[in-house]
Amino acid sequence: MVRCNVFILSLVATQALVIGAYWYLAGHEGYGTMAKLDEARQAQQDKEDSLREPTPAPQEYEYGQPDLPFMFDMNMYTYLGMCLTMTYLRKYAYTSLGMSFLMGCLAQEWCNLLLQWIPLAHCSELQQMFAKVGCPYGNNPELTQFENFQRGLSCTCTSLQGSVAGIRTPLQLRISDFIKGQYGVVAVMVSYGALLGKVNPQQMMLIVMVNVTAYCANKFLCVDYRGGVDNTGSLYTTHIFGASFGLGCAMIVSGKRPSENPDNAPRYQSNNYAILGSLFMFVTYPSFNSYWAPDVLRVFVATGTFAALMAGGMFSFIWANLLYPEGPTVMHLQDGVLAAGVAASTPACMFIDPVGMMLVGAGGTLVATLSFRFIQPKIADQDTQGVTSLHLLPGLWGALVMQAVTLAGIDRNWITLRNADQLRVVMPHYSGGNGDALVSSATQALITGFSIFVGGICGALTGLVAKLTGRIALGGSYSDHVFWIVPDDFTHIGEPGADTKVM
C-alpha cells in the first residue's frame, strides 16, 4: 500500500524541478565542455597524456582545500547546532529535527542556484555599464568611490554570457558556493524558530522557497547593488532579515493563543539537547562569522568573534541573575551567549580591538536578556522560540555598533585600525575622506531598514498564501503525533482534528 498526499506530491515535484535545474545549469568547476573527441584526436590526447609527467599531489591552496574546514564547521553550525536548539519543546523533537533537516536541504539546493545566477547576471549589467570607461589601473576621478569599486568588479567578474559561451553548464559550482548557500539555510532556520508548531510541512515548503528567494534578492540589493557592509556573519541579510521574515509570517499563520497550549513548553530532557546545540553553535561561531571576510582579515574576525562570545558567556550569567531574582532558566543563558555572536557578526570585520568586541558581546547579551524578560512574554503567540530576543534585537544592537564605528572609528581614528588598506575591500564606499563616513553610515542604516522591511513584508505575504492551505489544530500544533509514528507512551491533547495526519 503506497501512501501519497499533497505534501509528498509537492515534495517530489519540487525535487524533480531542482534536479532538472542542476542537470541543465550546474556542473563542477574545471570540467570544461565535457565534449566527446573523435577517435583520432582522442588517440593523440591519450599519447600525450602517457608522455606527460605524473601530476603531483594537490597543495593545500589548490582546488578549494582551504574551504574544507569551513565546510565542516558550517555543517556543524547549521545542521547540528541550529537543528538541536529547536528540540526544546517537550513533544516536538521529531518534527523540529526532521523538518529542520528536510527544509535545510531544500533551502541549500535552491540557494546554491540563486547565489550563482544572480552574480552572473549582475556582472553582465556592470560590464555593459562600464563598457565605455574601460579597465585601466587606478580610480577614475569622474566616478564615485563605489562606482570605481563596481568598475573594478566588472573587470574581474564572470558574466552570464561569458559563462555560457562554450560551456554546457553555465553555473560552475565550487565548494565555496555550497558554504555561501548555507547562510541562506541559516536565514530559513531563524525564520522557522518563530514558526515552530504553527505550520505543516506543505506550508513550510512554500515558506522555504519564498524565504530563500527573498534572502538572495535582499543580499544582492543590500551588499552588491547598494554596497552595504555585511562581509562576515551576515548580520543584516541573515539574522535581521531571517527574524523579520519569520515574525511577519508568524503574525499571519499563528492560530488562536498557541502560547496557551501546554505542549508549548520545554522539559528537562529536551532542554539538554537544546543546550548541546548551543554548544555546537558556540564552538563554530568564529568560522561562521569569518568565512565571508577577505582572506587576510579572517583572523581578525575569528578572534573578535571569540572575544565577544567569551564575554557573552560571562555576562549571560550576570544579566540573567540580575533580571531574574527567582533564578534564570537555562534557555535565557544559552540564548544570551549566542546573542553575543549575533551582535559581533559584522562588527567583527571592522578591526575593533578585543576589549571593544567584548563590550559588543556583553551588550548583545544584555539586549537579549532584557527582551526575554520584558518583550517575549507579550509576543509569545507570534514568536515560539524567541527569535526576536536572539536574532532581531541583538542584530539591531550590532547594527548600532556599525553606525558608531563608521561615524567615529574610521576617519577620526577613535578605534585603532590595523590593515587599514583593507578597508576599501570591506567598505566599498570608503576612500579616506571625511564625507565617506556619512555615506557609509547612511548606507548601513539603509540596509538595516531595508532588510527589516523586505523580511517582514515577504513573510507576511507568504503567511497569507500559506494560511489558505489550512492550519494545524491547537491540540496537535506542538505535538509530533500529527506528523510521525510515535511510541506507545506518547500522549497528546484530545482536541477534534488533533489526530489528523499530515506527513
Side-chain angles (χ1 to χ4, degrees), residues 6 15 38 45 81-82 111 166 248 261 273 279 281 298 354 365 384 402 413 420 450 481:
V6 177
Q15 190 61 31
D38 58 73
Q45 181 171 315
M82 294 201 76
C111 195
N261 189 324
Y273 288 113
L279 292 176
M281 293 177 67
R298 282 177 173 172
T365 302
T384 305
M402 287 294 295
N413 293 321
F450 189 75
H481 78 279

Side-chain angles (χ1 to χ4, degrees), residues 250-384:
M251 289 180 183
I252 304 299
V253 301
S254 295
K256 183 182 293 185
R257 296 184 300 278
S259 61
E260 297 181 3
N261 189 324
D263 288 337
N264 185 11
R267 65 179 176 184
Y268 183 76
Q269 191 65 34
S270 60
N271 262 340
N272 287 337
Y273 288 113
I275 296 171
L276 183 61
S278 299
L279 292 176
F280 281 119
M281 293 177 67
F282 180 90
V283 299
T284 55
Y285 234 125
S287 295
F288 178 81
N289 279 355
S290 62
Y291 181 75
W292 276 102
D295 292 342
V296 296
L297 302 182
R298 282 177 173 172
V299 63
F300 290 94
V301 176
T303 54
T305 300
F306 200 59
L309 287 170
M310 288 188 294
M314 298 297 294
F315 276 94
S316 63
F317 282 85
I318 297 173
W319 303 136
N321 281 280
L322 288 176
L323 292 173
Y324 293 89
E326 69 280 7
T329 68
V330 71
M331 184 177 181
H332 300 143
L333 299 176
Q334 67 187 54
D335 288 349
V337 175
L338 298 179
V342 173
S345 54
T346 298
C349 73
M350 300 307 296
F351 311 99
I352 302 175
D353 282 337
V355 63
M357 291 307 302
M358 293 176 75
L359 295 177
V360 171
T365 302
L366 175 60
V367 170
T369 309
L370 288 172
S371 177
F372 271 113
R373 181 69 174 87
F374 299 106
I375 299 178
Q376 192 62 36
K378 300 178 181 179
I379 59 172
D381 287 341
Q382 289 76 35
D383 188 359
T384 305

Side-chain angles (χ1 to χ4, degrees), residues 182-192 211 215 237-238 241-243:
Q182 288 199 347
Y183 288 85
V185 178
V186 172
V188 170
M189 297 289 191
V190 172
S191 301
Y192 186 46
N211 192 325
Y215 162 80
T237 55
T238 295
F241 167 81

Side-chain angles (χ1 to χ4, degrees), residues 39-98:
E39 293 184 3
R41 293 178 62 191
Q42 185 65 54
Q44 179 65 25
Q45 181 171 315
D46 292 342
K47 182 179 180 180
E48 293 175 356
D49 291 341
S50 65
L51 298 175
R52 187 178 296 119
E53 290 292 331
T55 303
Q59 300 297 314
E60 184 179 357
Y61 59 86
E62 293 182 301
Y63 306 116
Q65 288 196 38
D67 287 337
L68 280 175
F70 283 99
M71 186 176 187
F72 299 148
D73 286 352
M74 285 297 298
N75 283 333
M76 187 180 297
Y77 181 94
T78 307
Y79 295 106
L80 190 57
M82 294 201 76
C83 287
L84 282 176
T85 59
M86 304 279 188
T87 62
Y88 73 98
L89 293 174
R90 58 184 182 180
K91 295 182 180 179
Y92 210 59
Y94 285 7
T95 307
S96 298
L97 285 174

Side-chain angles (χ1 to χ4, degrees), residues 130 133-155 421 423-425 427-433 436:
F130 298 105
V133 180
C135 295
Y137 291 101
N139 288 343
N140 188 331
E142 297 181 359
L143 302 177
T144 65
Q145 172 63 23
F146 183 55
E147 288 174 338
N148 277 302
F149 175 82
Q150 290 183 311
R151 184 188 64 152
L153 183 62
S154 70
C155 299
D421 58 309
L423 279 174
R424 294 178 179 85
V425 178
M427 304 186 69
H429 287 282
Y430 176 78
S431 63
D436 295 330

